[in-house]
Amino acid sequence: LIGVLCEVVSAVAETEHESLAISYVKDNLWTFVQDLGDEDGNNVRITKKDFINIVKDLNAARLLKAVEVDLFAVIDIVDAIFDAEGSDEERSLTFPEFIEVLLEHR
């Protein structure tokens, strides 16, 4: 019984830790991207150039390293991330897509 209880507590703690990490990344990266949208910060679209500038920023890099994002892996696949299949135009990411891409590389 104690073993089961420990497993449940451990699983809940891990879930909470993940949730806090996601919130931390979202809140802190928002400051880097809010100027990419309209006056109210809505409709933010992140281009490849914006993406590279953000991950090159020392403060952003520290933030992402703190939540164990593999920046080298992200930079290695940046072309694939922004490739718009079947189009000559470059894809852009919404803020939630941007966060998802980063967190997938933890």
Side-chain angles (χ1 to χ4, degrees):
L1 184 61
I2 292 175
V4 172
L5 184 58
C6 288
E7 286 295 318
V8 169
V9 169
S10 178
V12 169
E14 186 175 325
T15 302
E16 286 295 315
H17 179 72
E18 182 70 14
S19 178
L20 287 172
I22 292 169
S23 293
Y24 177 73
V25 169
K26 281 182 179 178
D27 292 345
N28 287 286
L29 283 180
W30 181 248
T31 61
F32 291 94
V33 301
Q34 65 187 359
D35 295 333
L36 301 175
D38 59 22
E39 293 176 3
D40 299 324
N42 298 321
N43 303 317
V44 170
R45 301 297 298 184
I46 299 152
T47 64
K48 180 179 173 181
K49 180 181 175 186
D50 298 328
F51 188 91
I52 291 170
N53 288 336
I54 291 167
V55 297
K56 282 184 174 181
D57 183 278
L58 186 58
N59 292 325
R62 285 183 182 144
L63 165 71
L64 296 171
K65 185 171 174 55
V67 292
E68 301 176 0
V69 171
D70 186 350
L71 286 177
F72 294 112
V74 172
I75 291 170
D76 280 346
I77 64 163
V78 74
D79 290 329
I81 294 169
F82 289 94
D83 181 34
E85 294 179 24
S87 174
D88 290 337
E89 291 186 28
E90 197 172 81
R91 177 179 172 220
S92 63
L93 303 176
T94 63
F95 185 66
E97 290 170 333
F98 172 65
I99 296 298
E100 184 177 337
V101 164
L102 292 173
L103 293 178
E104 285 175 353
H105 293 88
R106 292 175 62 201

